[in-house]
Amino acid sequence: MGLATVGPQTLDLYGTALRSVGEPGERRQWFARYEHGPRRSLASELGRWCDGADETDRDLLARAGGTVLDAGCGPGRLVAELAGQGRMALGVDTSRAAVTIARDLGATAVRRSIFDPVPAEGSWDTVLLADGNIGIGGDPVALLTRCRELVAVTGRVLAELDPPGTGIRAGRVRLERGTQRGTWFPWAHVGIDAVAEPARAAGLRVQATWERGGRCFASLVPLGDDPSVDARLELAS
């Protein structure tokens, strides 16, 4: 989960978490609490979000053709990597702290919700939903529909997903650190073997799926004008 969230208290805690990662032992103090469910450590996620792009990230970005919009970019490791490659990329995140960190890394990033107007709508070659950001807003169909609006007709959405067997689960999550509690925000999880249904409802189809470095991904492309053509392509893929 990339924690591209809404709610001032949640965002303040998120910013605090991002800024504290370099302090010894600090990342182990942060947790995501699922309403009516478990509390999960964010130590490994915080480390990955705030480090540079790794081999799995670079493989993902190699599949992201043309101009790239990173939805829920967080502290910007992916857009910074793309900027370092001389590629055109924009990060979008609701966290002021995350956007500031991303810009300090040399990335181009703006503070806003992915559901707000963004530059070049309808012409992006790739929209990234990395780090489980298909969960933003707790409604994968609504989010993928928005992504479908943002990409060009020949574009794609690259989504990082949960492992097979996860299904589609939606609920509320909050950040916790010691006695600190963030506000609840909606989030969803989508398994790699369950993404076809919300994708089709959003006007997309699964072009490819893959796993690398223990992480799961899918490439989603717009449905064509003739649904039978897309059905045949899905059967052939």
Side-chain angles (χ1 to χ4, degrees):
M1 59 191 301
L3 298 183
T5 63
V6 294
Q9 187 179 3
T10 294
L11 291 180
D12 286 346
L13 283 183
Y14 180 42
T16 301
L18 295 178
R19 290 189 292 266
S20 70
V21 165
E23 301 174 18
E26 182 63 23
R27 69 182 64 173
R28 292 195 295 272
Q29 306 303 313
W30 291 95
F31 295 84
R33 168 75 70 178
Y34 288 77
E35 191 175 29
H36 312 303
R39 188 176 77 153
R40 183 168 62 81
S41 173
L42 291 175
S44 61
E45 284 90 342
L46 281 169
R48 178 155 53 86
W49 300 337
C50 294
D51 286 344
D54 61 18
E55 183 179 347
T56 301
D57 292 329
R58 287 189 286 273
D59 176 73
L60 174 66
L61 297 180
R63 301 169 189 255
T67 58
V68 179
L69 179 68
D70 187 357
C73 67
R77 77 183 190 283
L78 299 182
V79 276
E81 174 69 20
L82 289 167
Q85 297 176 11
R87 298 182 56 187
M88 181 178 174
L90 173 68
V92 176
D93 203 285
T94 52
S95 166
R96 186 186 303 276
V99 168
T100 297
I101 295 170
R103 290 174 176 172
D104 288 344
L105 292 175
T108 301
V110 294
R111 182 179 176 236
R112 68 189 63 178
S113 166
I114 193 62
F115 293 101
D116 292 335
V118 300
E121 291 203 18
S123 64
W124 291 96
D125 295 306
T126 303
V127 171
L128 289 179
L129 293 174
D131 301 321
N133 279 342
I134 195 171
I136 292 173
D139 185 341
V141 173
L143 179 62
L144 291 176
T145 298
R146 175 61 177 145
C147 292
R148 173 65 184 86
E149 295 171 350
L150 294 170
V151 296
V153 293
T154 56
R156 69 193 59 221
V157 178
L158 298 183
E160 184 168 350
L161 303 161
D162 281 85
T166 301
I168 301 175
R169 296 185 283 112
R172 298 201 303 169
V173 187
R174 73 182 181 192
L175 299 183
E176 296 184 354
R177 179 190 183 276
T179 59
Q180 294 176 295
R181 301 288 185 268
T183 53
W184 294 106
F185 61 91
W187 196 261
H189 289 270
V190 179
I192 190 172
D193 54 347
V195 71
E197 180 181 347
R200 179 168 288 278
L204 299 164
R205 64 176 176 85
V206 179
Q207 182 190 50
T209 60
W210 69 96
E211 298 183 28
R212 183 167 181 134
R215 296 158 64 188
C216 302
F217 303 91
S219 173
L220 312 175
V221 296
L223 287 167
D225 293 332
D226 182 353
S228 65
V229 172
D230 289 298
R232 291 195 297 272
L233 287 172
E234 284 185 347
L235 290 172
S237 62

